Amino acid sequence: MPETLLSPRNLAFELYEVLDAQALTQRPRFAEHSRETFDAALATARTIAEKFFAPHNRKADENEPRYMDGRAELIAEVKPAVDAFLEAGFLNANRDFEVGGMQLPSLVSQACFAHFQAANAGTTAYPFLTMGAANLIESFGSPEQKRLYLQPMIEGRYFGTMALTEPHAGSSLADIRTRAEPAGDGSYRLKGNKIFISGGDHELSENIVHMVLAKLPDAPAGVKGISLFIVPKYLVNADGSRGPRNDVLLAGLFHKMGWRGTTSTALNFGDNGQCVGYLVGQPHQGLACMFQMMNEARIGVGMGAVMLGYAGYLYSLEYARQRPQGRLPDNKDPHSPAVPIIEHSDVKRMLLAQKAYVEGAFDLGLYAARLFDDTHTAGAETERKQAQELLDLLTPIVKSWPSAFCLKANELAIQVLGGHGYTREYPVEQYYRDNRLNPIHEGTEGIQSLDLLGRKLAQNNGAGLKQLIRLIATTAERASPHPALDPLRQPLEQLVNRLQSVTLALLGDLAQGKVAGALANSALYLKAFGHCVIGWRWLEQAVHAELGLLKGNPADRDFYLGKLQAARYFLTWEVPGCHNDLALLEARDDTCLTMQDGWF
């Protein structure tokens, strides 16, 4: 059977050679763990993903949720899969032992979750949304809210969502119209409409806890007037028992190109004037609270994109090894046997590009998880602060780069299979359709580019950017004793130098108030910055591959040589192409900015 989730050897390389997961066991929080406990959790995740999630991935795609008598109806296989996830403890993988959690590092839990994301993106979304909503209540909720809502979510009895988007506003949260009126008893009455609410209705849990953005009567205009509310599907009594249905109506389901296993809902709040909600945190501070969940979700989206790309890559790789077709160009004998298509140079190119995209992005996603661990458990406050600054800077890249380039990997997987890839008899077309959502939700590519160039680079006086540049320089220095890595190191150093120059110039324009011009081509900047980051992560992998080869284990030789070839591809084929993007940024090209509506 082809290896269609992820490569165990590559996972071990990332965890134990590149990112040093074992070092985390020296920290007090993870002292009871070891490589053995990490590997046991990973093995359990893989088993559940293969047994419960992967088998109904296609069925869920072909039988999307149905709107039935005001509720969403899912195929029967979803609930046993979610229940297996809950029973194994993965909903609380990061929580304390004392509350029934596994107390795993985020690095290891993210690696566990990757198996579920590769196996079935649609079903995985339900517990993942719940984890994010629960973390939000834990951070900002009152003790009473934690008792009534967080605890049942930790137990897996209640699930959660985040309800941000409205029909007229899309990503422009400043323009939301949902209102919350004080009811005089500490609760509020909400009225409004939300769309594209993933997991907004189902029968997988006793209750659904919606985290809803709305505006109070005295709210100032814009994003500074947004508050956050808990709005349960069913009201909860003071003793914790479930009460009557809240005034939250499932208005309908969206029919999506892919990711069909997750309900995408339109919800009406307060059609009968009785939608009860509870303020979370301070009035008008809802967006700041919600950004915690959104940033977690953005990293999750990035990893989800990686795993869909990874699944397509591994499937097309196995197909290419088994599919005989044609002969090599220098073979003129028509009677000779056909060769597996993996022998053809252009198929190698497509597979190598996929490998470079998905394994580079996989490394970045796990690196972000490692940074998250450092923000909470690093020994010194300075280290925790630096980790947070770097994670803040990298979050737009962790979300956007895999969403763009692992989607390209899925496109290449279809191409490797040729006509078969375009049919539903093979899974690669579904991987593409599922992955096509990732450049859109949790902030489009355009939004991520504006966030990076307009906010994150200058944040904390550029502390995150300075740190990133130092880290890249350190990796390049560690690569320099390996002459074979010089052709890889040099293109990265050239890109970093030019990117620094362009960055300073654009930040200078922003400081002078030339905002529209500086941000006009932010998408080009996002791509070049992302390639720089992925190039760094590939050079880091290449250093570890060189060290691995020096150990002389014949069983690992092909693995390490494959790593070096993928690094070579990315740093010599992909990275140099960014200089054209940087030239347009240097010239402040205004082709897009000055285009007029009427000219289309």
Side-chain angles (χ1 to χ4, degrees):
M1 180 178 177
E3 196 72 67
T4 55
L5 294 183
L6 58 87
S7 161
R9 181 63 187 90
N10 187 45
L11 180 57
F13 173 72
E14 287 290 351
L15 291 180
Y16 302 119
E17 297 178 57
V18 179
L19 298 172
D20 197 7
Q22 281 181 279
L24 293 170
T25 63
Q26 303 303 308
R27 298 179 181 180
R29 177 167 178 77
F30 309 122
E32 294 186 43
H33 282 294
S34 64
R35 177 166 181 171
E36 288 69 29
T37 63
F38 292 164
D39 285 345
L42 292 164
T44 300
R46 186 180 190 89
T47 298
I48 295 173
E50 289 178 340
K51 182 177 180 180
F52 291 98
F53 282 71
H56 71 273
N57 188 42
R58 171 60 74 180
K59 183 175 180 180
D61 180 67
E62 294 175 342
N63 299 272
E64 61 183 327
R66 296 186 300 166
Y67 181 83
M68 299 289 291
D69 300 322
R71 61 184 180 85
E73 185 177 273
L74 312 181
I75 62 171
E77 290 87 345
V78 176
K79 184 166 175 53
V82 171
D83 287 346
F85 182 96
L86 299 177
E87 289 165 12
F90 287 112
L91 188 70
N92 300 302
N94 300 113
R95 295 192 184 281
D96 296 346
F97 291 130
E98 289 74 14
V99 296
M102 301 169 72
Q103 208 160 306
L104 286 173
S106 290
L107 171 59
V108 179
S109 63
Q110 191 71 260
C112 290
F113 299 153
H115 293 87
F116 301 105
Q117 291 171 306
N120 191 320
T123 294
T124 298
Y126 296 105
F128 274 31
L129 286 161
T130 301
M131 291 158 66
N135 290 340
L136 198 57
I137 297 173
E138 186 170 38
S139 294
F140 302 105
S142 68
E144 183 72 352
Q145 290 169 347
K146 292 177 184 178
R147 180 180 72 86
L148 294 177
Y149 300 101
L150 175 61
Q151 189 56 40
M153 294 171 82
I154 290 175
E155 294 168 4
R157 295 189 295 111
Y158 290 7
F159 276 20
T161 74
M162 56 177 173
L164 290 72
T165 308
E166 299 186 5
H168 66 284
S171 299
S172 181
L173 296 179
D175 298 319
I176 65 171
R177 296 173 184 163
T178 300
R179 290 292 183 264
E181 297 280 347
D185 60 357
S187 68
Y188 294 79
R189 298 295 177 269
L190 277 75
K191 187 169 182 60
N193 312 99
K194 300 287 185 178
I195 60 170
F196 301 144
I197 311 307
S198 297
D201 195 74
H202 53 72
E203 302 295 326
L204 300 173
S205 57
E206 297 175 22
N207 205 350
I208 302 176
V209 181
H210 303 292
M211 308 302 296
V212 182
L213 293 183
K215 291 190 174 183
L216 295 168
D218 61 345
V223 295
K224 294 182 179 180
I226 298 174
S227 298
L228 176 64
F229 297 86
I230 288 173
V231 181
K233 177 179 177 179
Y234 292 93
L235 299 176
V236 180
N237 299 318
D239 64 359
S241 61
R242 196 179 79 172
R245 180 71 185 259
N246 200 1
D247 188 8
V248 180
L249 173 70
L250 175 63
L253 297 173
F254 293 96
H255 305 287
K256 297 171 291 182
M257 172 182 175
W259 212 299
R260 294 174 179 171
T262 307
T263 56
S264 182
T265 64
L267 299 178
N268 292 349
F269 297 89
D271 277 3
N272 301 308
Q274 295 299 318
C275 179
V276 179
Y278 305 92
L279 179 69
V280 178
Q282 297 300 310
H284 318 314
Q285 298 298 312
L287 194 58
C289 297
M290 187 62 87
F291 262 115
Q292 172 183 299
M293 188 172 179
M294 289 168 66
N295 283 331
E296 288 180 21
R298 285 172 176 174
I299 294 173
V301 165
M303 279 301 289
V306 172
M307 298 321 300
L308 286 165
Y310 212 145
Y313 161 59
L314 291 176
Y315 193 93
S316 64
L317 174 61
E318 187 70 15
Y319 180 92
R321 285 170 168 162
Q322 296 182 1
R323 167 72 171 178
Q325 184 173 308
R327 291 151 192 87
L328 299 182
D330 55 1
N331 181 1
K332 305 302 182 183
D333 181 5
H335 301 292
S336 61
V339 299
I341 62 172
I342 199 169
E343 296 298 324
H344 296 297
S345 182
D346 197 55
V347 174
K348 292 180 184 179
R349 174 190 64 82
M350 292 187 286
L351 291 169
L352 197 51
Q354 289 183 71
K355 182 179 175 70
Y357 295 155
V358 302
E359 291 186 6
F362 185 62
D363 174 272
L364 176 62
L366 292 182
Y367 179 75
R370 183 67 155 80
L371 283 177
F372 187 82
D373 285 320
D374 290 344
T375 66
H376 290 79
T377 63
E381 173 60 31
T382 303
E383 292 178 80
R384 295 193 291 273
K385 182 172 181 288
Q386 288 178 339
Q388 188 64 62
E389 290 168 344
L390 185 57
L391 183 58
D392 286 344
L393 174 69
L394 291 179
T395 294
I397 303 301
V398 175
K399 190 276 176 186
S400 65
W401 199 94
S403 296
F405 287 91
C406 292
L407 179 66
K408 289 184 182 296
N410 287 128
E411 181 182 328
L412 289 167
I414 292 173
Q415 194 70 18
V416 168
L417 269 70
H420 291 304
Y422 197 63
T423 68
R424 290 193 176 184
E425 281 69 33
Y426 293 83
V428 289
E429 62 86 28
Q430 183 188 341
Y431 294 144
Y432 179 88
R433 287 187 289 105
D434 286 347
N435 219 351
R436 188 59 188 84
L437 176 61
N438 287 315
I440 300 172
H441 69 160
E442 302 306 332
T444 63
E445 299 293 277
I447 288 172
Q448 302 303 325
S449 70
L450 294 174
D451 183 38
L452 176 66
L453 183 54
R455 291 181 63 246
K456 295 296 176 61
L457 289 171
Q459 200 167 275
N460 300 313
N461 295 315
L465 179 60
K466 293 171 187 172
Q467 191 182 163
L468 176 63
I469 291 169
R470 287 195 301 270
L471 288 169
I472 295 174
T474 299
T475 299
E477 186 177 339
R478 288 172 40 243
S480 59
H482 304 279
L485 298 185
D486 285 349
L488 283 63
R489 174 176 54 82
Q490 290 162 359
L492 178 62
E493 291 176 331
Q494 292 166 6
L495 178 60
V496 170
N497 290 336
R498 192 170 183 187
L499 186 62
Q500 284 187 78
S501 174
V502 169
T503 301
L504 289 173
L506 292 173
L507 290 178
D509 285 0
L510 289 171
Q512 295 172 34
K514 302 174 183 177
V515 177
L519 297 180
N521 300 317
S522 59
L524 295 179
Y525 186 87
L526 182 75
K527 178 195 168 188
F529 195 97
H531 267 55
C532 182
V533 170
I534 297 293
W536 164 50
R537 297 312 305 165
W538 263 119
L539 186 61
E540 185 71 24
Q541 290 189 67
V543 170
H544 286 281
E546 285 283 347
L547 296 174
L549 283 173
L550 291 175
K551 294 176 183 177
N553 183 352
D556 281 333
R557 179 174 171 79
D558 284 349
F559 173 80
Y560 290 129
L561 290 175
K563 280 290 179 187
L564 290 169
Q565 199 77 351
R568 175 182 172 188
Y569 172 85
F570 191 80
L571 286 158
T572 61
W573 280 56
E574 297 273 341
V575 162
C578 293
H579 289 282
N580 183 59
D581 299 326
L582 293 176
L584 290 168
L585 289 163
E586 286 170 335
R588 307 300 191 276
D589 184 88
D590 65 353
T591 302
C592 299
L593 181 64
T594 57
M595 182 64 181
Q596 301 296 308
D597 183 357
W599 300 350
F600 287 103

